[in-house]
Amino acid sequence: ICRQHAYLLMVSCSRESPAQEIRMIQNFVQNKAQGLYLFPTVGETSNAVLRQLVAQRFPLVFVDRFLPDIHASYSVSANLDGGKQAAEYILKKHGANISICHFPLINNAVTDRFTGFRLEVERAGYSFASSHQCLIDDTDILLSDNVSRIERLLDKISSHLTDHPDF
């Protein structure tokens, strides 16, 4: 489709590095990109480069997350409802002894999913103690290769289950 309309599609991956993301955005703009469809880095909460682009009315759409202080279009899942539905399903299948594995609550996608899960567990009349949570700090995991990443995630989950045998 791009070729038919004489468009050039540029794609890049920051590997969750905010500094790399800024360099890539600047490179796209310097190379005459006419818009950005951006999946912001996990920990990103603010970005002067993006704020400047929005001020200049540069076409920008966020994917899966949005930055609350940057007023741009975004396309996201119904994360709060998704978290509620996941908890409802698991509670029906397995009862109250459940746990949620989640990444740090540093962006709206993860926070909304976690909140939806917690609200449904509490609505169903169960407690939601810290022992029900397996926090996976993925900052350094994201920089590793896929095999190492999976091994580290499984190690973290296994440790949580060992520490909390009721789950």
Side-chain angles (χ1 to χ4, degrees), residues 44-115:
E44 184 147 29
T45 56
S46 182
N47 182 317
V49 172
L50 294 174
R51 197 177 336 284
Q52 181 181 16
L53 290 175
V54 169
Q56 296 169 349
R57 304 188 56 79
F58 186 87
L60 173 64
V61 177
F62 293 120
V63 181
D64 193 46
R65 329 182 162 118
F66 60 90
L67 304 182
D69 67 330
I70 298 178
H71 302 289
S73 297
Y74 56 89
S75 173
V76 296
S77 303
N79 293 313
L80 191 69
D81 284 341
K84 287 179 181 178
Q85 289 174 17
E88 182 180 24
Y89 177 81
I90 293 170
L91 287 168
K92 282 181 183 176
K93 292 286 186 181
H94 302 287
N97 287 337
I98 62 172
S99 191
I100 182 173
C101 296
H102 65 88
F103 298 113
L105 305 177
I106 57 175
N107 67 56
N108 54 306
V110 175
T111 301
D112 287 354
R113 291 173 193 147
F114 176 83
T115 300

Side-chain angles (χ1 to χ4, degrees), residues 102-104 106 134-142 152-153 156:
H102 65 88
F103 298 113
I106 57 175
C134 174
L135 176 63
I136 299 172
D137 188 355
D138 60 338
T139 308
D140 59 334
I141 293 174
L142 289 168
R152 293 176 71 183
L153 289 171
K156 180 68 176 178

Side-chain angles (χ1 to χ4, degrees), residues 119-164:
L119 289 172
E120 182 58 28
V121 169
E122 291 171 349
R123 188 204 62 74
Y126 301 110
S127 70
F128 194 75
S130 61
S131 61
H132 293 254
Q133 301 175 45
C134 174
L135 176 63
I136 299 172
D137 188 355
D138 60 338
T139 308
D140 59 334
I141 293 174
L142 289 168
L143 301 177
S144 59
D145 63 81
N146 286 338
V147 173
S148 298
R149 187 176 307 145
I150 291 168
E151 289 172 350
R152 293 176 71 183
L153 289 171
L154 290 174
D155 285 346
K156 180 68 176 178
I157 293 167
S158 179
S159 293
H160 176 75
L161 293 174
T162 299
D163 294 344
H164 303 92

